[in-house]
Amino acid sequence: MQKQKYPPGTKLEFASAKHEFHHSLSRYIGETEKNLILVDRNTEKHCLPLLIEIMPLISQTPYILLDAGEKEKNIRRAEHVWTELMKYEADRESTLINLGGGVITDLGGFVASTYQRGIRFINIPTSLMGMADAAIGGKNAVNINHIKNQVGTFAPPETVMIFPAFLHTLPKAEMLSGFAEMVKTALAFDASLFKELLTTRIEDLPEKRKDLIFKTASLKHKVAVQDFYDKHIRQCLNFGHTLGHAFESLFARKGKEISHGVAVAAGMICESFLSQQLSGLSKKELIQIQSFLQNNFPPLEINPEDIDQMLHIMRHDKKISGHEFKLSLLTQAGKCQHRITCSEEMIQQSLEYYISCSA
Ligand code: GLY
């Protein structure tokens, strides 16, 4: 089968200073087009003023406002945004500027890539999760009946502009959540980046260590370019996520929502255990990864009865076939192999391991 190539034209741009960000933006935002901005209540308050300060012309661009949060990532909100685009007479010459975290870039990308069969959009991520992962790579979607990303498109943004100054107003818990995705990408693809993250303070990321955000974003971009449609190597970006999603759903069902990053960190401990059992990760590296994650992320309290519940959740997860699970696991820190077969029994053992090491 012929490999599908990443659609041309997509860029990833980094700006450390306001003038650099202005320079990048001015290439996309002219005076004549009917552009629109998509924001949520948080980015309207904390990020839009900075965008306007840097590019005063933006103050004349109408914006569409959504409430903040994952619950907004649904088809009704998408319809609202389509309707707003019609109201403002957006057409094929228009660009939708998605200014926000993963919800805004996922939903905005979905709306733009379907409106009039597809208009241009650019992503300006304002969360660490967005800068390191979600805004990059052209996966756009909404949730259906609380099932994540059930309906969506693969359509690349014209550009993704990373400007870490937006992180100054991001709550600590959100920074932690994004940090988990940075660790994931490093563990899957770049041992030297992982080594750097081991000694990095999260509070240094927006300023002193923004180079690490840029490195992670570049890696993500490179992987998405190689495998835009998620058929092979891109699946390694799911490291920690099969178990991570099960943790997330378990706690949601208990009515104690946890952040995606905290769930993924717990998932990475389990999947590192599985990597040691199934794909050659050394015991030494397992211990190193585990203690690093335990030092940085809060432990999740689960009991043996929760394990059955998590296995039940995972059987309904789209990444399984039959009663075997296909996981992306590490062969060593910085190297990952996708589609490794894993039995339910092994998953159970990994959760028992998680309970024993967080006791
Ligand atoms: N967040 C995983 C991916 O974009 O493939």
Side-chain angles (χ1 to χ4, degrees), residues 151-164:
V151 170
T153 56
F154 282 100
E158 289 288 297
T159 188
V160 181
M161 284 181 203
I162 312 253
F163 185 44

Side-chain angles (χ1 to χ4, degrees), residues 213-225:
I213 303 176
F214 297 159
K215 268 189 200 166
T216 312
S218 300
L219 262 175
K220 164 78 197 264
H221 187 248
K222 201 171 121 196
V223 172
V225 166

Side-chain angles (χ1 to χ4, degrees), residues 292-350:
F292 170 64
L293 292 169
Q294 284 176 319
N295 288 337
N296 282 282
F297 295 88
L300 296 177
E301 262 183 53
I302 57 162
N303 53 51
E305 294 79 67
D306 290 329
I307 294 181
D308 281 344
Q309 177 86 350
M310 288 176 77
L311 286 169
H312 175 79
I313 291 166
M314 288 174 67
R315 279 183 217 118
H316 288 84
D317 190 294
K318 61 181 184 288
K319 287 176 202 74
I320 71 164
S321 58
H323 277 243
E324 281 177 348
F325 297 82
K326 298 279 183 205
L327 267 66
S328 296
L329 297 177
L330 305 176
T331 53
Q332 60 186 73
K335 285 208 163 68
C336 186
Q337 208 175 316
H338 63 285
R339 297 189 71 74
I340 293 184
T341 302
C342 184
S343 65
E344 270 198 24
E345 206 183 359
M346 287 305 304
I347 300 281
Q348 177 157 355
Q349 279 181 33
S350 78

